[in-house]
Amino acid sequence: DGTGDYLNVGSSSDYTFGTGDYTIEMFVYHTSISGQQTYFSDVFGNSAGVYFYKDSNHKLGLYYSGQIATGNTNIVSNKWTHIAISRTGGTSRLFQDGILVGSGSDTTDLTATRYYIADSASSSGEMFGFISNVRVIKGTALYTSNFTPPTSPLTNVTNTKLLCCQSNTS
């Protein structure tokens, strides 16, 4: 229902992405799209971590200490949607159902060590709906151009470090 429902992924130096490549992806199903809603977040107010969200205009967003990228396609309610961030070569890209919807220059040194799914633990925009199959990969940008979204549960990727949440969460 978007009230106090979030998953604390925990704290680990493994979550520091530094200036390197990474991918964060998941499936989302919004039961309401009103307001800003969080998918994957550092501790609210930390400028050295990832904040992946849906903005109040229903677009994907990536924010650190400033806006990195904003999507150009609306997120809709009552439909499963695959969303992803992929950073490589100084560029972060936002994908929605396999389509590149936004990108921005990004060489930020991400040093945050604690993350949350569906909120930032301090009401920065709770998720209304469901999140499934969250995959966080450090060291590899899986997507750099349009792709066919996965149709089965997400799994580990060879030669990468899967950080969290391989199984379904809601």
Side-chain angles (χ1 to χ4, degrees):
D1 63 3
T3 305
D5 300 327
Y6 62 87
L7 176 64
N8 179 342
V9 178
S11 181
S12 171
S13 60
D14 285 341
Y15 294 123
T16 59
F17 297 112
T19 58
D21 298 350
Y22 72 88
T23 301
I24 300 170
E25 66 181 317
M26 65 195 72
F27 293 90
V28 298
Y29 184 98
H30 287 272
T31 55
S32 168
I33 57 169
S34 66
Q36 180 172 302
Q37 296 186 33
T38 304
Y39 302 126
F40 187 87
S41 177
D42 62 348
V43 176
F44 180 72
N46 184 347
S47 62
V50 174
Y51 182 60
F52 184 27
Y53 68 105
K54 179 201 76 66
D55 69 19
S56 58
N57 293 317
H58 316 303
K59 310 283 194 252
L60 290 179
L62 175 61
Y63 184 93
Y64 304 145
S65 58
Q67 193 69 25
I68 301 297
T70 302
N72 61 16
T73 302
N74 283 350
I75 293 284
V76 297
S77 62
N78 302 312
K79 175 191 177 286
W80 282 104
T81 303
H82 179 266
I83 59 173
I85 305 168
S86 192
R87 178 170 82 170
T88 188
T91 301
S92 281
R93 294 169 179 85
L94 298 172
F95 295 92
Q96 185 172 325
D97 285 332
I99 304 299
L100 177 64
V101 296
S103 65
S105 177
D106 181 5
T107 57
T108 306
D109 186 7
L110 299 171
T111 59
T113 60
R114 178 176 297 278
Y115 283 97
Y116 299 86
I117 296 170
D119 197 2
S120 66
S122 61
S123 300
S124 65
E126 302 92 348
M127 169 71 181
F128 287 86
F130 305 93
I131 296 176
S132 182
N133 278 261
V134 176
R135 180 165 62 177
V136 179
I137 300 172
K138 181 178 179 178
T140 299
L142 289 181
Y143 311 116
T144 57
S145 61
N146 293 347
F147 62 93
T148 301
T151 57
S152 59
L154 302 174
T155 61
N156 202 357
V157 178
T158 305
N159 298 323
T160 63
K161 184 169 193 170
L162 181 67
L163 297 180
C164 84
C165 317
Q166 186 171 337
S167 62
N168 291 351
T169 60
S170 61

